[in-house]
Amino acid sequence: MPQRMLTDDSTSDSLVTATRENLLEAIIRPLPDSKLSILLNDLSRADSVLRNELQKAPTDKTSRQQSLRWLQRVELATLRSELFPEKSPDGIAAANEAARIAEASLLALPASGSARSEVLRLLAEAHLRRGDLQSAQVVLEDMNASAAKTAGPNGSNQESHDIAMQVRIAIAAGNQSTAKDLLEDYYSQHTSRRLNMDLVRLRYLLRFGSETQVANWLDSISQTHGEDAGDRASTIVSQTRLTDGEGVSSASSANPERDPRLWIADAMYYLRKEKSQQAALHFARAAISDQDDRRSIQSALKAAAILVQSGNSKASVELLQRISDSHTQSSDAAGALLQAATIAHDHADEFTAEEIRTMLQRVAGRWPNTDAALAANRWLIAWNRNEANWLAAAIQTTKIAVRHWRENSSTAPSGTETHASQSVRSLCLLCWSDAWMHEPDAKTVDLLHRSFADAVPASLPARTHADLTVLLDDPTSRASQATEGFFRELAKFRLGQSVSVTSQPPQAVTTALIQRLEMDARQQPERRVAIGRCLIDLDRKHSLFASEIEPGDSSAWRETVHRVGWHIWAGERSTAETIVKEAIERNADAANDLFRQSARAHSISPSKADQARAATWWKRLADNQTRGSHEWYASTLGWLDALKRSGKTKEASASARMILLTTPPQSAEQAAAFENAAK
């Protein structure tokens, strides 16, 4: 009969395999105590499973599977000892247990074979980790003898393990010359590097070399063998320094001879062990002492993140400010200072608005070509807009480095940009348009020109300046410099060289466009028809109010107010009156605005017929007001003025005198206006 399998429970194998993998991961990247205890419990369960399977094994001979189980027990026990720093009490206790299990396995294993050689290697490791160098040497000799009997394809691997163990024994014994000779001999004969030998050389440098040599070799291991190997090497460095008294105490003094890369290794060790205070301290010390810009800033950012999590945002911001000041030649410093501003903003109860603003201004001013500067500028612009500092926001857009104008400008055809666009150009168009809408006067336009004049001349900013001039000022001087498409068409239309604008305007400027053309209609009444038709046509094709009206917005009727005026200018009076009627039916509260807009739209016309219509709308507005109120007097004055312009001078004068007799205004200014109308 075929020999019965020792177990048919795949769960036991999976437990052992998973535990082994978790042990290896924890050796590379140490666990915090809470998670380590869970892993040790899993290890106890796995070892118990292996013991039970060995007890069920046949007694007449040692099967291959028995050998495997013994080898698994020894390996798990040895890996357990590697979880702890050498020379530490936990490490010594674990090594003692690993040696006990290894010695028991040797009694059960065949006198020769690969399993025995591997157990001897693990036993030598256990003796070495518990500090018994003599026993480690004896076992090493037995291992070499056993390996010689079973020499195979792994001979070179066995050789490196043998030399690695000899070097480690020499290091532990303090025999520098022997360890050095062994290492030099090995590396002179081998061109390819093995990780186990590189780790042994790292231990040699930790014992006999300088911090710089250790740090350089640590970097070399990471570059040669990858991230896992680098993390394992870093853990060896930190555990060795910790047991040798190089831990927290070393980070508390800023010794310029200390290599900051080792503090980073220590910080990562503490971070993995969830000892955040020590991790932050080591990262901070590394950042302060490191002359490498990028590495220093990365350490500062990591320290800052830990400090914020621990509730110390003040220290976090101060560290980032200090490091950014120390590395002003590095563009990475801009990101560090921007992060400081972000932390300060997130903890606004601990920082003033002026402190945050100052940090943003420093980012934008010191490193203008960085992405951090662009973010800082956007932040400052949004800040000013939220505070209704429209001109300050607009001027800020012209201070953004030309690099960002180029790299962030939209490549889509003119007229396709939206409010959501990340284009610096779109932001500039929006901010200057808003500034002019809030202060549509010569001062704003003058500041526009001066701000662009101070900016570095470049194609896109120059064309944007021309476009804004075409939109907000007299287009005569810059019409030829405007970009193709909408702004070129707008320039021709405003100069009276065309009768329409067909291209879609950027949504960033639609509101300003409406205000600009309506202002043109009032300033140039003779062009009101063309302007009215142009606005109606643009609205029909491109929905000029689309960017202003949100779904469900109860104030959406306000767009109707503008449209009424456009239809009046275009000579479509009956259409305008229909719009007014239907709008009032939907929303009676819109009546006053609609009456006022209708009156004003008619008022700009030199035609007496239009002035008569204006008078009608002013009268309807006045009748809708409380008699004697400020609004009633204002709309009544509009009615009287329109009556005079329509040719009904006597009627206007008589009405004005009657009001002065029956309902005289209290305002001296309004009283004077009525007296003038009564003449």
Side-chain angles (χ1 to χ4, degrees), residues 448-470:
L448 161 69
H449 294 310
R450 285 163 49 193
S451 182
F452 270 100
D454 292 340
V456 178
S459 176
L460 187 60
R463 284 186 284 121
T464 301
H465 183 197
D467 292 343
L468 284 167
T469 302
V470 164

Side-chain angles (χ1 to χ4, degrees), residues 360-439:
L360 294 174
Q361 290 170 338
R362 283 164 57 195
V363 172
R366 281 184 178 177
W367 303 278
N369 288 308
T370 62
D371 290 338
L374 178 58
N377 273 306
R378 288 187 182 279
W379 192 342
L380 288 167
I381 290 166
W383 198 328
N384 282 321
R385 287 171 63 81
N386 288 336
E387 295 181 348
N389 294 327
W390 306 105
L391 274 172
I395 291 171
Q396 189 74 33
T397 65
T398 62
K399 297 185 180 302
I400 296 176
V402 172
R403 167 181 176 264
H404 297 299
W405 279 85
R406 181 176 63 254
E407 294 185 2
N408 291 276
S409 61
S410 174
T411 57
S414 177
T416 61
E417 296 163 298
T418 66
H419 277 301
S421 171
Q422 294 302 302
S423 164
V424 174
R425 167 181 160 83
S426 290
L427 185 62
C428 184
L429 291 173
L430 173 66
C431 290
W432 274 110
S433 297
D434 281 355
W436 177 79
M437 283 189 293
H438 286 87
E439 296 182 47

Side-chain angles (χ1 to χ4, degrees), residues 93 148 154 171 218 221 311 375 545 583:
N154 295 324
I171 293 171
L218 194 60
I221 289 174
F545 295 94

Side-chain angles (χ1 to χ4, degrees), residues 588-608:
D589 292 337
N592 288 342
D593 285 331
L594 290 166
F595 295 162
R596 185 179 294 106
Q597 180 72 342
S598 298
R600 286 175 174 171
H602 282 295
S603 294
I604 70 170
S605 171
S607 165
K608 290 186 177 182

